[in-house]
């Protein structure tokens, strides 16, 4: 883990010599499956939180505001450990795994979030898409720290009309 942490910091340091990051840095670390974390929060604290802290502290010294973990599944029990370790955000907030960005925000108001819009509704038509977006985005838009996005990759059975409706609905809510 220490070698990987040193490697990540070295790569980020090189990137930061050529780029200016300001809002967030994201790392992928699939830590959960549909109902719970793959490894216990205690193991994350013991084996990973020091590395998370080193990386988070390093990028903050370079002006990055948020360190976001991309993890599928139900990450609810990991969020407190991430916050303790300097991680300030998560994505994609997979709805099928029970992650609801409104509920997560109410429990962890300082957590930055990306995602949480159920990708499966894109196949169900405009009313379902509208209901999904409106149940989450207006509230989260007002509270801040949220970027609306689908909760995972767009499935291949999503019709173009469904995706267009989703984009138009998000745009309308964002501009309204």
């Amino acid at each position: 883990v220490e070698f990987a942490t040193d490697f990540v910091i070295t790569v980020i340091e090189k990137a930061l010599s050529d780029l200016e990051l300001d809002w967030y840095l994201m790392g992928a670390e699939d830590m959960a499956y549909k109902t719970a974390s793959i490894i216990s929060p205690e193991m994350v604290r013991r084996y990973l939180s020091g590395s998370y802290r080193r990386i988070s502290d390093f990028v903050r010294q370079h002006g990055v505001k948020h360190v976001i973990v991309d993890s599928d599944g139900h990450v609810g029990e990991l969020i407190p450990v991430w916050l303790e370790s300097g991680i300030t955000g998560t994505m994609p907030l997979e709805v099928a795994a029970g992650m609801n960005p409104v509920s997560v925000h109410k429990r962890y108001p300082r957590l930055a979030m990306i995602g949480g819009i159920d990708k499966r509704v894109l196949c169900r038509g405009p009313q379902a898409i509208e209901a999904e977006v409106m149940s989450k985005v207006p509230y989260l838009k007002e509270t801040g720290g949220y970027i609306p996005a689908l909760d995972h990759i767009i499935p291949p059975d999503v019709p173009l009309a469904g995706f267009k409706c989703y984009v138009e609905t998000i745009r309308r809510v964002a501009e309204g």
Side-chain angles (χ1 to χ4, degrees):
V1 171
E2 288 301 314
F3 171 81
T5 304
D6 292 340
F7 178 79
V8 167
I9 288 173
T10 300
V11 170
I12 292 170
E13 186 173 37
K14 172 66 176 143
L16 290 173
S17 69
D18 297 329
L19 302 169
E20 183 177 328
L21 300 177
D22 57 2
W23 201 78
Y24 77 90
L25 174 78
M26 181 183 69
E29 182 111 278
D30 281 342
M31 300 290 288
Y33 55 100
K34 192 171 184 174
T35 61
S37 63
I38 294 171
I39 63 174
S40 72
E42 293 75 27
M43 289 181 73
V44 173
R45 267 189 195 94
R46 181 174 178 186
Y47 296 109
L48 301 173
S49 64
S51 294
Y52 291 159
R53 174 58 69 190
R54 279 185 57 209
I55 293 167
S56 297
D57 289 349
F58 178 79
V59 298
R60 278 201 188 75
Q61 292 169 0
H62 291 84
V64 176
K65 292 177 183 71
H66 292 284
V67 176
I68 296 176
V69 172
D70 175 339
S71 179
D72 299 339
H74 194 283
V75 297
E77 63 188 340
L78 296 175
I79 291 171
V81 181
W82 289 341
L83 289 168
E84 293 165 12
S85 305
I87 292 170
T88 58
T90 190
M91 69 171 292
L93 298 161
E94 196 171 2
V95 176
M99 299 303 299
N100 180 312
V102 171
S103 300
V104 172
H105 174 76
K106 288 178 179 177
R107 186 159 184 199
Y108 305 102
R110 60 182 200 166
L111 183 72
M113 299 179 295
I114 302 171
I117 306 296
D118 191 346
K119 66 189 168 294
R120 299 169 298 178
V121 303
L122 275 60
C123 292
R124 297 183 192 147
Q127 288 179 331
I129 294 167
E130 176 90 11
E132 174 68 9
V133 169
M134 297 308 290
S135 72
K136 298 169 182 174
V137 178
Y139 169 79
L140 293 165
K141 176 184 167 188
E142 293 303 315
T143 59
Y146 174 71
I147 298 173
L150 295 175
D151 67 345
H152 214 280
I153 297 170
I154 302 166
D157 61 337
V158 168
L160 181 58
F163 183 74
K164 285 175 142 180
C165 178
Y166 158 72
V167 170
E168 291 164 5
T169 305
I170 292 288
R171 183 177 291 133
R172 187 177 74 253
V173 172
E175 293 172 352

